[in-house]
């Protein structure tokens, strides 16, 4: 890749998140070295102008045109794919990147699709020296890196692995609590795509991204996903927002990949996450009710993935019609002013405790995600900045922790027990 013209290309730069990835790259790389891509060059330029920025170069590329994708992947070190939902569109982009030797990252939360890409492209990508990194946004880069930081601290201090890890997320929002308009149409359409997927059952499987069925079965036994609200002192912990099903599969794949790197058999640990609702005893019933409200649509989604294929297709079609389209997104005044944190409390196999966390700014799903994806792309484009590892990777195994401080530019500050 040393002879590539470009370091990073943003494919889908006109979308809700893509335009903000482009803006982040413009801020970090005012000297150039990156480009924006889409089906219509004039529309890309107009949308970025609305964002108050522009790209050094605009490239015409279409997910339905393999030739344009091959040409794109030949010119750049990294392709950041923002064209979702990913199940019907992303495979040709991944194939072009593997064939032409460009690293790839996207924001999919569509776990059944991510598993198919692992089955099809892990070995070719490994042979090509290419990183294929899916689920590289708010889901699941911050929690994946937090758990890896805790695991690395445990090995450095006591030469022990983790037996359990609990992650809690909290956030404060501008103008009142989160609401449906904080979700983009792309996110909602992705849920519909997963319901219709032939492998929909994998959407709720913590071992879904581990091809070794023996190890995946151990993960399911040790670390099942639960929707039930629970208490930690006066804090009520409900299911993770926006979904309890995405991060666990990624984090368990990270542990499995790293065990293979060390030449060890995987030892699955219990991973549990949730959205924390702190408060006093007098508000406890209200907070339990809020946790139940968070859980209800997620339970409905899980039940939909269990339905017969014909019923799932009808449900997905209905959802696709009534949910906002991919062009719908949060209003600009709902993006700034957010503060959020993830904290991990872990225990080692020897009974020691270790902690890690991340504090961040910006609406998690779109503004913060755009910044962190842009920074991950810049890291992967830089020689020696990330681990010398290839294949279908997780965010943590692709980016590593050596340069985790670089995410401060994206307004994410990681911390861990030293």
């Amino acid at each position: 890749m040393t002879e590539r013209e470009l370091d990073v290309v943003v494919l889908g730069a006109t979308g809700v998140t893509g335009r903000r990835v482009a803006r982040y790259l413009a801020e970090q790389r005012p000297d150039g070295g990156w480009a924006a891509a889409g089906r219509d060059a004039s529309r890309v330029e107009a949308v970025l102008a609305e964002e108050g920025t522009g790209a050094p170069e605009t490239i015409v590329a279409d997910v339905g045109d393999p030739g344009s994708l091959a040409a794109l992947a030949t010119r750049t070190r990294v392709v950041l794919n923002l064209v979702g939902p990913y199940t019907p569109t992303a495979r040709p982009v991944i194939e072009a990147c593997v064939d032409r030797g460009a690293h790839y990252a996207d924001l999919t939360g569509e776990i059944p699709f991510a598993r198919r890409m692992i089955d099809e492209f892990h070995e070719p990508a490994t042979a090509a020296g290419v990183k294929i990194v899916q689920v590289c946004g708010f889901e699941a880069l911050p929690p994946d890196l937090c758990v890896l930081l805790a695991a690395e601290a445990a090995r450095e201090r006591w030469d022990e692995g983790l037996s359990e890890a609990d992650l809690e997320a909290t956030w404060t929002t501008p103008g009142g609590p989160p609401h449906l308009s904080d979700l983009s149409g792309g996110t909602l359409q992705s849920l519909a795509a997963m319901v219709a997927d032939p492998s929909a059952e994998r959407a709720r499987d913590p071992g879904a991204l581990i091809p070794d069925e023996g190890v995946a079965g151990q993960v399911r036994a040790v670390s099942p996903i639960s929707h039930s609200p629970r208490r930690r002192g006066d804090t009520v912990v409900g299911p993770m927002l926006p979904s309890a099903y995405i991060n666990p599969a990624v984090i368990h794949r990270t542990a499995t990949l790293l065990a293979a790197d060390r030449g060890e058999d995987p030892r699955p640990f219990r991973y549990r996450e949730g959205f924390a609702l702190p408060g006093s005893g007098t508000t406890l019933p209200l907070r339990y009710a809020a946790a139940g409200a968070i859980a209800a649509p997620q339970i409905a989604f899980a039940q939909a993935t269990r339905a017969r294929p014909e019923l799932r297709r009808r449900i997905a079609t209905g959802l696709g019609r009534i949910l906002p389209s991919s062009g719908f997104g949060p209003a600009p005044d709902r993006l700034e002013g957010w503060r959020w944190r993830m904290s991990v409390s872990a225990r080692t196999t020897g009974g020691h405790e270790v902690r890690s966390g991340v504090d961040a700014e910006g609406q998690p799903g779109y503004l913060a995600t755009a910044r962190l994806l842009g920074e991950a792309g810049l890291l992967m484009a830089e020689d020696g900045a990330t681990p010398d590892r290839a294949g279908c990777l997780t965010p943590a195994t692709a980016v590593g922790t050596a340069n985790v401080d670089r995410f401060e530019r994206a307004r994410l500050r990681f911390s861990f027990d030293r």
Side-chain angles (χ1 to χ4, degrees):
M1 294 189 191
T2 55
E3 304 302 322
R4 301 290 168 115
E5 301 171 57
L6 300 166
D7 288 334
V8 182
V9 172
V10 183
L11 177 63
T14 61
V16 172
T17 310
R19 66 184 67 188
R20 294 181 175 97
V21 176
R23 183 173 183 173
Y24 181 79
L25 293 177
E27 293 169 353
Q28 301 303 323
R29 294 290 300 272
D31 56 335
W34 67 279
R39 290 179 296 178
D40 184 333
S42 61
R43 173 161 168 72
V44 172
E45 292 165 1
V47 166
L48 295 187
E50 291 173 4
E51 287 291 310
T53 187
E57 181 180 354
T58 301
I59 299 172
V60 175
D62 187 339
V63 295
D65 179 358
S68 70
L69 298 176
L72 178 96
T74 300
R75 297 185 58 198
T76 186
R77 289 171 173 248
V78 180
V79 173
L80 301 180
N81 183 11
L82 283 299
V83 183
Y86 292 93
T87 298
T89 64
R91 186 196 175 281
V93 189
I94 294 172
E95 183 177 30
C97 288
V98 173
D99 288 347
R100 300 305 174 108
H103 300 314
Y104 169 96
D106 70 29
L107 299 178
T108 187
E110 297 153 44
I111 294 297
F113 171 70
R115 170 56 188 274
R116 284 198 294 278
M117 296 303 94
I118 291 169
D119 292 342
E120 186 172 356
F121 288 108
H122 181 63
E123 291 185 6
T126 302
V130 167
K131 299 178 191 284
I132 303 297
V133 192
Q134 299 191 268
V135 205
C136 194
F138 176 74
E139 301 101 2
L141 186 148
D144 201 19
L145 277 177
C146 283
V147 174
L148 179 56
L149 286 166
E152 288 182 343
R155 287 194 170 273
E156 290 169 5
R157 283 186 174 189
W158 306 290
D159 193 26
E160 296 172 353
L162 299 183
S163 63
E164 58 186 57
D166 283 1
L167 180 146
E168 292 183 9
T170 58
W171 57 55
T172 58
T173 66
H179 46 71
L180 185 61
S181 68
D182 291 324
L183 294 176
S184 79
T187 296
L188 298 171
Q189 292 294 332
S190 290
L191 294 175
M194 280 192 285
V195 171
D197 195 284
S199 302
E201 72 281 354
R202 285 178 172 161
R204 49 186 164 77
D205 179 5
L209 301 183
I210 302 172
D212 185 322
E213 185 54 34
V215 177
Q218 293 175 43
V219 167
R220 295 181 197 113
V222 171
S223 189
I225 296 172
S226 173
H227 306 96
S228 300
R230 62 185 188 277
R231 283 185 67 177
R232 180 184 52 77
D234 286 333
T235 297
V236 175
V237 183
M240 180 60 81
L241 285 169
S243 173
Y245 300 110
I246 298 172
N247 296 329
V250 175
I251 286 162
H252 289 301
R253 178 165 175 79
T254 292
T256 302
L257 289 172
L258 294 177
D261 281 357
R262 296 190 298 266
E264 301 173 358
D265 291 332
R267 295 186 61 182
F269 57 89
R270 190 209 67 186
Y271 172 72
R272 187 169 60 176
E273 66 178 18
F275 184 72
L277 300 165
S280 64
T282 57
T283 64
L284 190 63
L286 290 175
R287 288 181 287 123
Y288 262 105
I294 294 170
Q298 301 195 37
I299 293 170
F301 169 79
Q303 291 173 338
T305 63
R306 295 185 178 98
R308 299 186 309 276
E310 319 85 69
L311 179 56
R312 285 193 287 104
R313 285 193 291 271
R314 289 200 296 270
I315 293 171
T317 299
L319 289 173
R321 289 173 178 166
I322 64 174
L323 292 174
S325 67
S326 295
F328 172 85
D333 62 357
R334 291 289 299 176
L335 295 175
E336 298 285 1
W338 290 66
R339 299 290 184 273
W340 53 275
R341 174 170 176 76
M342 293 180 177
S343 58
V344 170
S345 176
R347 184 177 296 274
T348 73
T349 52
H352 298 98
E353 293 186 357
V354 62
R355 297 180 183 277
S356 64
V358 60
D359 291 278
E361 302 171 17
Q363 204 272 0
Y366 306 102
L367 185 55
T369 281
R371 292 168 177 163
L372 66 88
L373 180 66
E375 190 59 46
L378 292 173
L379 282 168
M380 289 194 292
E382 184 178 323
D383 289 336
T386 61
D388 185 16
R389 185 180 289 127
C392 289
L393 305 177
T394 60
T397 56
V399 174
T401 60
N403 288 301
V404 72
D405 289 348
R406 283 271 293 272
F407 284 99
E408 292 184 12
R409 304 195 306 186
R411 305 182 194 177
L412 282 80
R413 294 164 293 278
F414 288 91
S415 60
F416 58 98
D417 286 352
R418 298 179 183 273

